[in-house]
Amino acid sequence: MDKKNPYRSLQQGIHPPGDLQARVLAAAQDERRAGRAARRMNRPRLAAMLAAVCVLAVLTVGAAAVVGLSGGWKQFWDGADVPQNAVSALNLTQTEDGYTLAVEDVMLADSRAIALVTLSRADGGPVDPGIGIGRYGNGANLLLDGDYAGLIGRTSYSPYMSPGNTAKHWCFEYSTDGGTGLAGRTLGIQVKQVVQPHLETVTLDGAALAAAYAASPADAEDAALRSDGSVPMEARVAARDALYAVLLRQQETAPVRLPLDGQFPEVQGTVAAVGDGLGIAFHMDGDNKPMSGNTACYSVYVTAVTDTRTGVRHEYGGTQGVWSDAEPGDSFQVCLVPDFTIGDLPYLQVELEYSLFDILTDKPFLLSFKAENKTERSLRLGYDLEAGGATLSLDKIDVSTLGALLTVRTAEDVSVFDLAYDGHQLSVAYRMQDGTEIPLQVRAGQYDGKSLHVLTLDPVDADGNRLFPDMAQVQSVVINGRETPLT
């Protein structure tokens, strides 16, 4: 994965089922969670990126800054009434290699930002609906004064196309670590590439895997698969370790020749016995993706296996487990196949799906603006409450139209995130001037490993749909029945 994009997503992206970009992004997020959870994040400054062509606007968030809304918000939150005084229209653009990137509108609080980003062709022609931005086709980064420091998450929402496919629109939401404010900072929306994702399906003869196994056999005896074909986490971890060990040996003895080896020789395959089933894995450099011309290979998955003795085809839906960083910088993708054993390999045809990206331009986009934030308020709480058998010391809550950031301390070994997740142990809401309440649903949590917990909360309706309340109509914050007025 990209070492220069160190902040990892603590929120899950929202994507249409079966969409290629969503599948690739989900794999990338799995890589971030697995490979970086235990490592300190490296945050290099991006001096080179700041030298790129950029557009700078000065923005003061508030009613006076609003010059008209794009209307795109309704496409992402149908039915949500976004108050005009929470949105600022920027309409910043930059064109590179015939593609124009625009930042249309933003909503800002001191701890998070939401941006509408659009890609179109400079000649006004139609855009392919599959086109993507960023390394995985669905990502624009946020920079704070040219740096990633203080940013902890990015959520991407399902993009949509303009009528006639003249543009593709994305919405990205960014979160800070709670101690990093946006007010007065220069914010930059950064896109490193424009890409065209596509799939290529090929078939690998099981005999090639059988030969590799015979030259360097490996078993993960303790990685038992469940009888229903599901894969418990302990089996995945054991399979990963066994497969990575045999991969290193097979590189020297009998490397597996993959169907697209001529284009992407850096992608290596391996096989091991996993309990009563198989584990098939693919390895590549996680930082420098294999390239063939202008096409990058981002991943390889097992999608189906056919038994040539019976003609029965077993589908596996892309992958049953993705990990990265078996060693630093590695991308190691594993599929567990419970329906066959090592002895079946010579009779199998394994369908592989290569996730490929044609790089349309790798010239960086950087659209920058100055934010003087006036929309978020910080309320000192300073009281304790009992929840889930633990004593929680509530420090403060930062509130805005976008949601809230609740800071909690506890000396006990308890997950404040879990207490707040279903709202039964720790409930938070905005109380409106008309007496109604808008629940604040936990979306992400941070923990310093000692006592400090910070929860990111979103306003939602009774069905869990995102809301953007007008803070002029919010009277107070209610936490487990205790009310703290905004005034």
Side-chain angles (χ1 to χ4, degrees), residues 13 16 24 27 42 60 81-82 111 145-146 198 257 260 264 302 310 413 416 425 431 459 481:
V24 175
N42 177 35
T60 300
D81 186 13
V82 177
S111 59
D145 296 329
H198 58 99
R257 300 288 295 182
L260 297 188
F264 305 104
V302 174
T310 64
D413 185 16
V416 178
Q425 299 288 340
R431 180 167 290 169

Side-chain angles (χ1 to χ4, degrees), residues 375-399:
T375 67
E376 188 165 279
R377 299 185 59 183
S378 185
L379 305 179
R380 285 290 168 186
L381 300 175
Y383 62 85
D384 296 345
L385 59 81
E386 298 294 320
T391 299
L392 308 182
S393 297
L394 274 60
D395 184 7
K396 67 171 183 171
I397 186 167
D398 300 323
V399 298

Side-chain angles (χ1 to χ4, degrees), residues 236-251:
R236 297 186 181 203
V237 173
R240 178 199 62 189
D241 294 343
L243 283 160
Y244 193 75
V246 75
L247 171 76
L248 298 180
R249 295 198 302 270
Q250 288 176 350
Q251 287 176 341

Side-chain angles (χ1 to χ4, degrees), residues 159-470:
Y160 74 94
M161 299 297 298
S162 290
N165 292 343
T166 55
K168 189 169 184 176
H169 306 264
W170 287 265
C171 181
F172 300 103
E173 184 164 2
Y174 308 92
S175 303
T176 73
D177 59 13
T180 301
L182 303 183
R185 310 286 292 272
T186 297
L187 310 185
I189 301 297
Q190 176 202 58
V191 169
K192 297 181 177 181
Q193 294 176 330
V194 176
V195 298
Q196 184 71 51
H198 58 99
L199 298 174
E200 185 162 346
T201 301
V202 294
T203 300
L204 172 64
D205 194 325
L209 294 172
Y213 181 84
S216 186
D219 302 303
E221 295 292 347
D222 56 343
L225 307 185
R226 296 190 179 117
S227 59
D228 64 359
S230 60
V231 185
M233 182 53 67
E234 59 270 19
R236 297 186 181 203
V237 173
R240 178 199 62 189
D241 294 343
L243 283 160
Y244 193 75
V246 75
L247 171 76
L248 298 180
R249 295 198 302 270
Q250 288 176 350
Q251 287 176 341
E252 303 298 328
T253 56
V256 177
R257 300 288 295 182
L258 298 179
L260 297 188
D261 189 65
Q263 294 173 254
F264 305 104
E266 302 91 341
V267 181
Q268 300 165 327
T270 189
V271 64
V274 179
D276 295 328
L278 296 175
I280 302 174
F282 303 96
H283 168 267
M284 67 185 73
D285 188 322
D287 292 324
N288 301 301
K289 295 297 185 183
M291 296 287 299
S292 178
N294 289 326
T295 300
C297 177
Y298 276 71
S299 58
V300 182
Y301 299 124
V302 174
T303 56
V305 176
T306 298
D307 188 339
T308 59
R309 295 165 296 188
T310 64
V312 176
R313 183 174 181 269
H314 300 257
E315 295 186 359
Y316 294 101
T319 181
Q320 293 192 32
V322 178
W323 301 271
S324 75
D325 297 333
E327 286 192 350
D330 284 345
S331 176
F332 196 59
Q333 297 153 332
V334 179
C335 180
L336 300 180
V337 182
D339 303 292
F340 300 101
T341 67
I342 290 294
D344 296 318
L345 279 175
Y347 310 101
L348 304 182
Q349 293 291 306
V350 182
E351 293 179 32
L352 307 181
E353 195 169 78
Y354 282 70
S355 293
L356 306 177
F357 285 70
D358 294 334
I359 298 175
L360 305 180
T361 179
D362 58 1
K363 292 182 179 177
F365 295 81
L366 183 59
L367 300 171
S368 299
F369 54 95
K370 189 84 169 179
E372 296 298 337
N373 190 295
K374 303 296 182 184
T375 67
E376 188 165 279
R377 299 185 59 183
S378 185
L379 305 179
R380 285 290 168 186
L381 300 175
Y383 62 85
D384 296 345
L385 59 81
E386 298 294 320
T391 299
L392 308 182
S393 297
L394 274 60
D395 184 7
K396 67 171 183 171
I397 186 167
D398 300 323
V399 298
S400 72
T401 294
L402 278 65
L405 210 63
L406 176 63
T407 302
V408 180
R409 297 181 186 274
T410 178
E412 302 176 54
D413 185 16
V414 62
S415 170
V416 178
F417 179 90
D418 290 342
L419 294 179
Y421 187 73
D422 59 7
H424 294 158
Q425 299 288 340
L426 181 63
S427 63
V428 187
Y430 286 155
R431 180 167 290 169
M432 311 303 287
Q433 291 182 357
D434 62 6
T436 60
E437 291 189 0
I438 296 177
L440 294 173
Q441 184 180 77
V442 64
R443 176 160 61 91
Q446 305 164 56
Y447 176 50
D448 70 353
K450 298 176 182 178
S451 64
L452 180 66
H453 301 254
V454 180
L455 301 181
T456 300
L457 305 158
D458 292 341
V460 296
D461 63 16
D463 296 322
N465 300 311
R466 183 75 173 270
L467 298 176
F468 297 93
D470 186 344

